[in-house]
């Protein structure tokens, strides 16, 4: 059964906005990372009795913000509202690029929860679990978490760190000597524009 014309047009507009994104140019997406725990899974060479590899399992929250003018509201009412469904809205493609587990899907999906204020500023708090591997050297167990897109170049999405350090206010594990987050860009064969790359680093106390 065909939809009446007065119902079909709004439906097409919603779909078009989701495909085009919140603006004609690149969308600036601010990204922050809050760490709640770091667990080390250590493997030892039984012959030489020395540690040969480490896996760090990091849990926390990924905080993302961007502005979507199509979600802005005029007039009174609450300053912000819960997004009950994100199926028809534009979402940034952000993935964990250096995972040691199966290939990372986008960290924000249609089932993610978020809020939006009257100006169209969107805020998501997404629970995350990152697994990274590194080879210890001189008891240095620092590691990096690389976040970026496999689909959206800088022409569509511009990732920016929310701060130059990570949020450790809810961290309950070993003391962290230093954390950092910085932005870079990377190129990929077959694409003209580069991709945004965020590198989050953690330098823990030797344990």
């Amino acid at each position: 059964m065909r939809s009446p014309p007065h119902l079909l047009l709004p439906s097409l507009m919603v779909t078009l906005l989701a495909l085009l994104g919140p603006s004609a140019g690149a969308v600036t997406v601010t990204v922050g990372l809050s760490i709640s725990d770091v667990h080390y899974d250590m493997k030892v060479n039984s012959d030489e009795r020395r540690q040969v590899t480490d896996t760090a399992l990091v849990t926390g929250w990924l905080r993302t913000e961007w502005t979507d003018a199509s979600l802005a509201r005029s007039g009174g009412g609450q300053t912000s509202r819960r997004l009950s469904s994100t199926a028809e809205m534009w979402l940034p493609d952000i993935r964990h690029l250096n995972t040691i587990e199966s290939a990372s899907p986008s960290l924000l999906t249609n089932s993610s929860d978020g809020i939006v204020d009257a100006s169209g500023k969107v805020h998501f708090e997404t629970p995350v679990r990152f697994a990274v591997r590194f080879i210890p050297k001189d008891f240095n167990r620092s590691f990096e978490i690389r976040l970026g897109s496999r689909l959206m170049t800088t022409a569509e999405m511009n990732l920016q760190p929310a701060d130059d350090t990570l949020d450790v206010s809810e961290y309950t594990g070993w003391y962290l000597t230093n954390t950092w987050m910085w932005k870079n860009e990377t190129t990929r064969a077959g694409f003209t524009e580069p991709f945004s790359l965020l590198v989050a680093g953690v330098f823990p106390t030797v344990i």
Side-chain angles (χ1 to χ4, degrees), residues 70-86:
S70 68
L71 299 176
R73 294 176 296 119
S74 59
Q78 295 181 343
T79 57
S80 62
R81 69 185 190 277
R82 181 83 173 268
L83 290 169
S84 57
S85 174
T86 59

Side-chain angles (χ1 to χ4, degrees), residues 139-152:
F139 299 101
N140 177 4
R141 290 178 181 157
S142 62
F143 57 87
E144 292 182 345
I145 298 170
R146 294 176 174 261
L147 302 174
S149 174
R150 302 292 299 180
L151 302 173
M152 297 180 179

Side-chain angles (χ1 to χ4, degrees), residues 55-163:
T55 299
L57 301 176
V58 186
T59 55
W61 294 87
L62 185 74
R63 296 170 176 165
T64 50
E65 288 186 346
W66 69 93
T67 298
D68 189 336
S70 68
L71 299 176
R73 294 176 296 119
S74 59
Q78 295 181 343
T79 57
S80 62
R81 69 185 190 277
R82 181 83 173 268
L83 290 169
S84 57
S85 174
T86 59
E88 300 294 342
M89 67 176 287
W90 182 91
L91 292 175
D93 176 55
I94 305 175
R95 303 167 189 253
H96 179 202
L97 300 179
N98 64 328
T99 179
I100 64 171
E101 298 179 329
S102 58
S104 171
S106 182
L107 298 173
L108 275 68
T109 67
N110 290 338
S111 61
S112 300
D113 291 327
I115 59 174
V116 59
D117 66 15
S119 67
K121 187 174 183 179
V122 181
H123 179 92
F124 276 78
E125 293 264 348
T126 307
V128 289
R129 177 183 181 274
F130 300 125
V132 293
R133 179 177 293 136
F134 57 95
I135 300 176
K137 181 179 180 182
D138 299 329
F139 299 101
N140 177 4
R141 290 178 181 157
S142 62
F143 57 87
E144 292 182 345
I145 298 170
R146 294 176 174 261
L147 302 174
S149 174
R150 302 292 299 180
L151 302 173
M152 297 180 179
T153 69
T154 53
E156 184 175 358
M157 180 182 69
N158 177 29
L159 296 180
Q160 292 288 343
D163 201 346

Side-chain angles (χ1 to χ4, degrees), residues 1 5 16 18-19 43 47 58 76 89 92 96 117 124 126-127 138 149 155 162 168 180 186 196-197 207:
M1 180 177 179
L16 184 61
L19 292 174
K43 297 180 180 179
D47 295 331
V58 186
M89 67 176 287
H96 179 202
D117 66 15
F124 276 78
T126 307
D138 299 329
S149 174
V168 294
W180 62 91
T186 182
S196 295
L197 173 66
I207 56 176

